Amino acid sequence: MSKNEQNNKLLIIPLGGIGEIGKNMTIIQYGKEILLIDAGLMFPEEEMLGIDIVIPDITYLLENKDYIKGILITHGHEDHIGALPYILQQLNAPLYGTKLTLGLVEGKLKETKLNKKNISMNVVKPPASINLGSFTVDFIRVNHSIPDSVAFAIHTPVGIVCHTGDFKLDQTPVDGEKADLNKFAELGTKGVLALLSDSTNAEREGYTMSEKVVGHTIDDIFRSAKGRIIIATFASNIHRIQQIFDAAYKNDKKVAVVGRSMVNAVNIALDLGYLTIPKSLMMELDEICRLPKERIVIITTGSQGEPMSALTRMAMSEHKKVEIIPGDTVLISASAIPGNEKLISRTIDRLFKSGANVIYEPISGVHVSGHASQEELKLMINLVKPKFFIPVHGEYRHLVHHSRLAEEVGIPQENIFITENGRILEFTKDSCRFAGRVTAGKVLVDGLGVGDVGNIVLRDRRQLSQDGILIVVVAIDKETGEVVSGPDIISRGFVYVRESETLMEQAREKVKQSLKKCHEENISEWSTIKSQVREDLGKLLFEQTRRRPMILPIIMEV
Amino acid sequence: MSKNEQNNKLLIIPLGGIGEIGKNMTIIQYGKEILLIDAGLMFPEEEMLGIDIVIPDITYLLENKDYIKGILITHGHEDHIGALPYILQQLNAPLYGTKLTLGLVEGKLKETKLNKKNISMNVVKPPASINLGSFTVDFIRVNHSIPDSVAFAIHTPVGIVCHTGDFKLDQTPVDGEKADLNKFAELGTKGVLALLSDSTNAEREGYTMSEKVVGHTIDDIFRSAKGRIIIATFASNIHRIQQIFDAAYKNDKKVAVVGRSMVNAVNIALDLGYLTIPKSLMMELDEICRLPKERIVIITTGSQGEPMSALTRMAMSEHKKVEIIPGDTVLISASAIPGNEKLISRTIDRLFKSGANVIYEPISGVHVSGHASQEELKLMINLVKPKFFIPVHGEYRHLVHHSRLAEEVGIPQENIFITENGRILEFTKDSCRFAGRVTAGKVLVDGLGVGDVGNIVLRDRRQLSQDGILIVVVAIDKETGEVVSGPDIISRGFVYVRESETLMEQAREKVKQSLKKCHEENISEWSTIKSQVREDLGKLLFEQTRRRPMILPIIMEV
């Protein structure tokens, strides 16, 4: 696309978060001005063996580095801020977000040992607006499973673009900070060009319950439990943590906070004033253990059954200080992130085995979602009355369901756009169309390597993980071409060698034959010899075992 | 334990199915007589890389081969019959089951290429009783997600043991064959020593809905769908398949059956009279494709998103004959087996992307469970009125919940036994206690290898899967100990080598230094040299990449 053509057009280009849950990132571009909304990470899919996290491909941003006027952050969850330490290595732009959000970003930048430049961090307190080039951005309060979440209304020369971020509409939020429905209504009355709205819960009927409901459940549990109480939840769910402290106070219990990320989150929230806790309520773990059991509450990480988390280690009797004992009540105040179901079940089983009473979903009121259900999603569309509707933040099926909701409330089908990462949506004041693509995709982070693990490496890891590897080593005289030493066969992850001596002997024989055949046929190309060995040996092994290990022939010339 | 002591005691020894979903197998032993109930497989856990299936360890049965009077099969699901091809290699005993169950067993034995002896297969039609040594076994009809499922009441010299198998209580079963509640009541009145009952759904409140409900949903969908209909369900759910055919007949559509296991199941069920289908209703896939779209129904496998299944291949446009097109309605009439959630979501997303309308859980009435919910479980206990209660078939948390239900309906806590695989429960007419253990565990099947993949191999596969492998090859002169060739470094699954030449060069240098150091210090023990290389190189790689690949030094003497 030529840049001139688009000078008076508005472009919306998602680089992540479409057709997937995570690595949210959206570009709003007008001419030579770009706003970036969020920079999140995603956790790896099961088949991405050994990968730690996944971030968006930002090639397009790097090509247009100088256009970036600012990075707007909706809230402090990893799938919205987790890519910042990586992308801020490569480009410089001021950050705009609420106080807690930027507090969490700061913690994150400190934590990662990646070098960082001086980054301009600008706290905005909603309701407020900022000017960035031709854009004016309204910060609009919404509710979510972390405090201080916002939506954005971006006033552009072409029209208003409203991006909800992740949201729900909590009529009785714990901190009293309700979603600013009046602002959305006002925008709707004025006229909104496009609404980008959170699709995560588009499959879920009705309304998402208020966070307050969980507070009541926790209070009930605190009142009736006889022994210690251990609660696992998401570290960033500050409202949940506040409610746990409130229930502890009301029921004359003390609270210890355990687990690195939980301690970090609580400290940041305390520092910035997002948690209100009487000093004496919170105790160190060592201290609290001296209290009578019925006065002890422990807040911890591990609600997803993560193998190294505090709760999992407690369940496995591997935690240094806390062991689960009969009489303990364990509350898992969270829902399973898809893919974690089995890990969580295992943790629950182990906790039960240790004699704890375990309370978890689907028991009502143990957890509520942070995302809007169908009725709220429809309400949002009805308030904002956008000309064009773009469902974002969701797997493809969520986007489809959200589109159907939009149609139901009267958005014409042709004004609804299910887009893709990297696809350009081009707007004029009264039109919207797909207009090409930019580079987009997944960048895999493995240890310190960003993007150095690609398909070939993953394919190898997959093969290695299934049937292991056989290494065939042979030394050949460089003059005569005759075998000087070997063939030796070494295997890892294939069979337990001590019990498979016959098979290994057969394998060595087979390799000898292959080499002999090559020698007789005057084949001296190493790659040909190697293929022959791989083929012959592979066939033997498959016949004998129905397995296909990786076979790596190594020929040394001496 | 001495065998004499136990001569007039009754033993119940589970070898599988306790604290896990799958590989169900229970021993009922009186003196030198053993009955085996079920012989199932389990699908591997995520960390069992490359493993195909898991079966119970039958060491105890092999030690007591001659005692086995018979193998009783409750129903034809894999987790109840899937280990038969393996254990029947090692022991011989007559099989007893209903007609469909043994039909499926026969199909299974034929399919596996493992040789088999002449096995005595004895069809029993409930209500009926058989005598086996000192035991009399009543076959009692129950409902489940496969026809012809039974429970057993085993009359022993010590008392009656009742084993429900997998069950639900369907008041309106598709085939009209209701669970024989009167028989359970009669046993209860007579007096039952122990009840072993299915715990799979012990967490679920209320009643499990009748299979008929799904029939109504299917009928509704058939009536309103405009294009082709593709339905995925479990191949063994013959009642579901019958209802699909019924709905097709009613709505003037034709049906093709696709997918190997689905075709097999339908053929066996047709042969044995468990499906009633007018001849002209069923068509070959090639044939049916010539009909107008609104007359086409395709029943297929792939309800769990299995990568090689027909539905997944259709969704990926990789199926030879069927491609999903806009206008298709795809019904996934199944629930996710834990661990499969992500695969299923992916299939659903791809189907939506191809333009299909996809209908799936949690939409009401798309699927019902085959297992009893809490109210049915309590009803069963109340009918049977056992002296001792043993929850079976479930993860540990299911067993705990089931125990709580038993307590609720009045079984004293001290009469409820949550047992473990391999643990012996010893009964007299009025007592029950734990009395030692026998060998029990998981035998991993990988290709043709049964039990040859153990912890070491799995540990290696895990390490290989995470960070790959580096192989260091060096040839040393056997006289002088000097390096003749190498070190060469080959990696797989570690980094993309072309982009990491510097790192590989550093690695080679590091190895040279290690070898030099060893040479200077007169270290000639190969194992010591190898450790040194592993340590030095491992440190370098971790510093540079934060990865820990497997390092395999190979020294050749020439």
Side-chain angles (χ1 to χ4, degrees), chain A residues 183-357:
Chain A
K183 179 70 188 176
F184 287 111
E186 187 191 298
L187 290 163
T189 306
K190 198 180 281 178
V192 167
L193 180 67
L195 171 65
L196 287 71
S197 183
D198 174 13
S199 311
T200 312
N201 270 357
E203 285 173 299
R204 216 181 276 187
E205 291 180 1
Y207 275 90
T208 300
M209 282 194 296
S210 169
E211 176 64 28
K212 276 266 173 79
V213 170
V214 184
H216 296 310
T217 309
I218 292 172
D219 194 41
D220 287 347
I221 292 169
F222 278 27
R223 212 168 327 108
S224 61
K226 297 279 178 289
R228 294 187 305 183
I229 294 165
I230 294 146
I231 304 192
T233 190
F234 298 109
S236 61
N237 200 328
I238 306 297
H239 291 321
R240 187 75 44 91
I241 295 167
Q242 179 70 59
Q243 295 198 105
I244 295 169
F245 275 102
D246 293 348
Y249 183 75
K250 215 169 134 189
N251 292 280
D252 194 28
K253 295 174 194 287
K254 302 283 182 184
V255 181
V257 176
V258 172
R260 199 178 52 87
S261 64
M262 187 62 79
V263 171
N264 283 351
V266 166
N267 284 340
I268 291 173
L270 275 173
D271 281 354
L272 300 179
Y274 288 83
L275 273 175
T276 318
I277 303 174
K279 258 266 156 86
S280 66
L281 193 56
M282 200 161 146
M283 292 174 92
E284 290 298 322
L285 189 53
D286 288 323
E287 247 183 301
I288 210 172
C289 289
R290 285 180 225 122
L291 293 182
K293 296 215 168 7
E294 66 275 14
R295 296 199 62 202
I296 301 175
V297 175
I298 296 170
I299 305 183
T300 178
T301 52
S303 66
Q304 298 300 306
E306 306 93 323
M308 298 308 293
S309 66
L311 184 66
T312 307
R313 284 185 288 133
M314 291 176 198
M316 305 275 289
S317 301
E318 283 169 5
H319 194 274
K320 269 183 295 181
K321 295 181 176 171
V322 184
E323 193 175 358
I324 302 295
I325 48 171
D328 286 347
T329 298
V330 180
L331 172 61
I332 299 179
S333 183
S335 59
I337 294 172
N340 294 346
E341 294 84 354
K342 285 210 118 180
L343 284 176
I344 298 173
S345 304
R346 240 185 253 183
T347 301
I348 293 171
D349 282 330
R350 289 206 176 109
L351 291 166
F352 268 125
K353 267 192 195 161
S354 307
N357 181 27

Side-chain angles (χ1 to χ4, degrees), chain A residues 276-490:
Chain A
T276 318
I277 303 174
K279 258 266 156 86
S280 66
L281 193 56
M282 200 161 146
M283 292 174 92
E284 290 298 322
L285 189 53
D286 288 323
E287 247 183 301
I288 210 172
C289 289
R290 285 180 225 122
L291 293 182
K293 296 215 168 7
E294 66 275 14
R295 296 199 62 202
I296 301 175
V297 175
I298 296 170
I299 305 183
T300 178
T301 52
S303 66
Q304 298 300 306
E306 306 93 323
M308 298 308 293
S309 66
L311 184 66
T312 307
R313 284 185 288 133
M314 291 176 198
M316 305 275 289
S317 301
E318 283 169 5
H319 194 274
K320 269 183 295 181
K321 295 181 176 171
V322 184
E323 193 175 358
I324 302 295
I325 48 171
D328 286 347
T329 298
V330 180
L331 172 61
I332 299 179
S333 183
S335 59
I337 294 172
N340 294 346
E341 294 84 354
K342 285 210 118 180
L343 284 176
I344 298 173
S345 304
R346 240 185 253 183
T347 301
I348 293 171
D349 282 330
R350 289 206 176 109
L351 291 166
F352 268 125
K353 267 192 195 161
S354 307
N357 181 27
V358 196
I359 302 170
Y360 51 97
E361 274 205 324
I363 288 166
S364 168
V366 159
H367 175 73
V368 298
S369 170
H371 298 273
S373 299
Q374 293 182 348
E375 294 309 312
E376 292 151 274
L377 294 173
K378 288 188 278 188
L379 178 58
M380 178 61 81
I381 301 171
N382 278 335
L383 280 174
V384 175
K385 301 182 199 307
K387 188 161 184 62
F388 299 102
F389 178 71
I390 302 136
V392 297
H393 299 182
E395 312 261 6
Y396 194 83
R397 67 189 179 284
H398 302 127
L399 307 180
V400 170
H401 283 285
H402 204 175
S403 300
R404 289 181 182 170
L405 297 176
E407 266 193 82
E408 268 179 50
V409 301
I411 308 286
Q413 204 183 346
E414 62 273 19
N415 286 8
I416 299 170
F417 288 80
I418 296 187
T419 182
E420 286 168 39
N421 293 332
R423 216 158 170 197
I424 300 169
L425 271 173
E426 187 193 82
F427 294 83
T428 65
K429 281 189 202 317
D430 45 24
S431 77
C432 172
R433 65 174 190 106
F434 285 115
R437 288 172 193 273
V438 306
T439 306
K442 296 178 166 80
V443 174
L444 309 186
V445 180
D446 181 5
L448 295 183
V450 180
D452 66 338
V453 170
N455 286 335
I456 295 174
V457 173
L458 286 183
R459 190 202 57 198
D460 286 350
R461 287 186 184 170
R462 210 164 307 140
Q463 192 184 359
L464 290 167
S465 78
Q466 289 304 298
D467 290 322
I469 186 168
L470 253 91
I471 299 146
V472 179
V473 202
V474 54
I476 288 181
D477 188 296
K478 70 178 126 204
E479 316 282 299
T480 65
E482 277 183 17
V483 174
V484 184
S485 175
D488 290 338
I489 293 183
I490 299 137

Side-chain angles (χ1 to χ4, degrees), chain B residues 348-505:
Chain B
I348 293 171
D349 283 331
R350 289 206 175 107
L351 291 166
F352 269 124
K353 267 191 196 161
S354 308
N357 181 26
V358 197
I359 303 171
Y360 51 96
E361 274 205 324
I363 288 165
S364 171
V366 159
H367 175 71
V368 297
S369 170
H371 298 274
S373 298
Q374 294 183 348
E375 293 309 312
E376 292 152 275
L377 294 173
K378 287 188 275 186
L379 177 59
M380 179 60 84
I381 301 171
N382 279 335
L383 279 174
V384 174
K385 302 183 198 306
K387 188 160 184 60
F388 300 101
F389 179 71
I390 301 136
V392 297
H393 299 180
E395 311 261 6
Y396 195 83
R397 66 187 181 285
H398 302 128
L399 307 180
V400 170
H401 283 286
H402 204 175
S403 300
R404 289 180 182 171
L405 298 177
E407 266 193 83
E408 268 180 49
V409 300
I411 307 286
Q413 204 184 347
E414 62 273 20
N415 286 8
I416 300 171
F417 289 80
I418 296 188
T419 182
E420 286 168 39
N421 293 333
R423 216 160 169 195
I424 301 168
L425 272 173
E426 186 192 83
F427 294 82
T428 64
K429 280 187 204 315
D430 45 23
S431 77
C432 172
R433 64 177 191 103
F434 285 116
R437 287 173 193 273
V438 305
T439 307
K442 297 178 165 81
V443 173
L444 310 186
V445 179
D446 181 5
L448 296 183
V450 180
D452 67 339
V453 170
N455 287 335
I456 296 174
V457 173
L458 286 183
R459 191 202 57 202
D460 286 349
R461 287 185 185 171
R462 211 164 306 142
Q463 192 185 357
L464 290 167
S465 76
Q466 290 304 298
D467 290 321
I469 186 169
L470 254 91
I471 299 148
V472 179
V473 201
V474 54
I476 287 180
D477 187 298
K478 72 178 124 201
E479 315 282 300
T480 65
E482 278 182 15
V483 173
V484 184
S485 174
D488 290 337
I489 293 184
I490 300 136
S491 86
R492 287 291 182 278
F494 172 55
V495 289
Y496 188 51
V497 179
R498 280 196 209 159
E499 288 178 358
S500 312
E501 276 173 16
T502 331
L503 179 64
M504 286 301 155
E505 195 41 58

Side-chain angles (χ1 to χ4, degrees), chain A residues 1-301:
Chain A
M1 71 191 167
S2 107
K3 278 184 184 162
N4 265 342
E5 269 177 36
Q6 298 184 337
N7 266 350
N8 49 8
K9 305 252 170 84
L10 179 74
L11 311 183
I12 297 182
I13 314 171
L15 292 184
I18 307 291
E20 64 193 6
I21 301 274
K23 74 179 180 57
N24 297 292
M25 182 181 272
T26 311
I27 291 169
I28 310 285
Q29 178 167 10
Y30 180 74
K32 295 190 172 180
E33 295 180 321
I34 284 179
L35 291 185
L36 187 66
I37 300 177
D38 290 336
L41 61 73
M42 194 165 87
F43 293 102
E45 303 285 319
E46 209 174 308
E47 68 273 15
M48 297 177 184
L49 294 169
I51 298 303
D52 301 322
I53 62 167
V54 180
I55 58 175
D57 184 328
I58 56 163
T59 305
Y60 181 77
L61 285 176
L62 296 177
E63 287 165 2
N64 296 284
K65 253 185 188 179
D66 302 334
Y67 297 180
I68 307 174
K69 296 291 162 204
I71 303 176
L72 309 169
I73 311 287
T74 56
H75 62 282
H77 277 156
E78 288 288 356
D79 52 337
H80 294 258
I81 66 169
L84 281 174
Y86 302 93
I87 76 165
L88 291 175
Q89 303 288 311
Q90 297 174 274
L91 53 87
N92 205 344
L95 296 184
Y96 298 86
T98 55
K99 190 163 71 170
L100 180 64
T101 302
L102 291 188
L104 290 165
V105 168
E106 217 173 336
K108 200 160 178 58
L109 293 176
K110 258 185 220 152
E111 201 178 283
T112 51
K113 275 149 207 156
L114 300 160
N115 298 325
K116 65 185 173 83
K117 299 163 258 179
N118 268 332
I119 293 152
S120 150
M121 304 261 245
N122 306 280
V123 171
V124 181
K125 188 172 184 326
S129 299
I130 56 171
N131 293 313
L132 292 168
S134 317
F135 304 111
T136 302
V137 182
D138 303 334
F139 280 60
I140 310 169
R141 193 169 291 291
V142 292
N143 301 116
H144 189 40
S145 45
I146 186 169
D148 241 9
S149 296
V150 292
F152 298 120
I154 302 169
H155 301 257
T156 79
V158 177
I160 300 172
V161 173
C162 186
H163 190 304
T164 63
D166 285 350
F167 83 103
K168 68 190 268 190
L169 303 176
D170 194 333
Q171 307 302 328
T172 55
V174 171
D175 59 2
E177 298 281 9
K178 292 175 200 162
D180 192 349
L181 297 178
N182 300 50
K183 179 70 188 176
F184 287 111
E186 187 191 298
L187 290 163
T189 306
K190 198 180 281 178
V192 167
L193 180 67
L195 171 65
L196 287 71
S197 183
D198 174 13
S199 311
T200 312
N201 270 357
E203 285 173 299
R204 216 181 276 187
E205 291 180 1
Y207 275 90
T208 300
M209 282 194 296
S210 169
E211 176 64 28
K212 276 266 173 79
V213 170
V214 184
H216 296 310
T217 309
I218 292 172
D219 194 41
D220 287 347
I221 292 169
F222 278 27
R223 212 168 327 108
S224 61
K226 297 279 178 289
R228 294 187 305 183
I229 294 165
I230 294 146
I231 304 192
T233 190
F234 298 109
S236 61
N237 200 328
I238 306 297
H239 291 321
R240 187 75 44 91
I241 295 167
Q242 179 70 59
Q243 295 198 105
I244 295 169
F245 275 102
D246 293 348
Y249 183 75
K250 215 169 134 189
N251 292 280
D252 194 28
K253 295 174 194 287
K254 302 283 182 184
V255 181
V257 176
V258 172
R260 199 178 52 87
S261 64
M262 187 62 79
V263 171
N264 283 351
V266 166
N267 284 340
I268 291 173
L270 275 173
D271 281 354
L272 300 179
Y274 288 83
L275 273 175
T276 318
I277 303 174
K279 258 266 156 86
S280 66
L281 193 56
M282 200 161 146
M283 292 174 92
E284 290 298 322
L285 189 53
D286 288 323
E287 247 183 301
I288 210 172
C289 289
R290 285 180 225 122
L291 293 182
K293 296 215 168 7
E294 66 275 14
R295 296 199 62 202
I296 301 175
V297 175
I298 296 170
I299 305 183
T300 178
T301 52

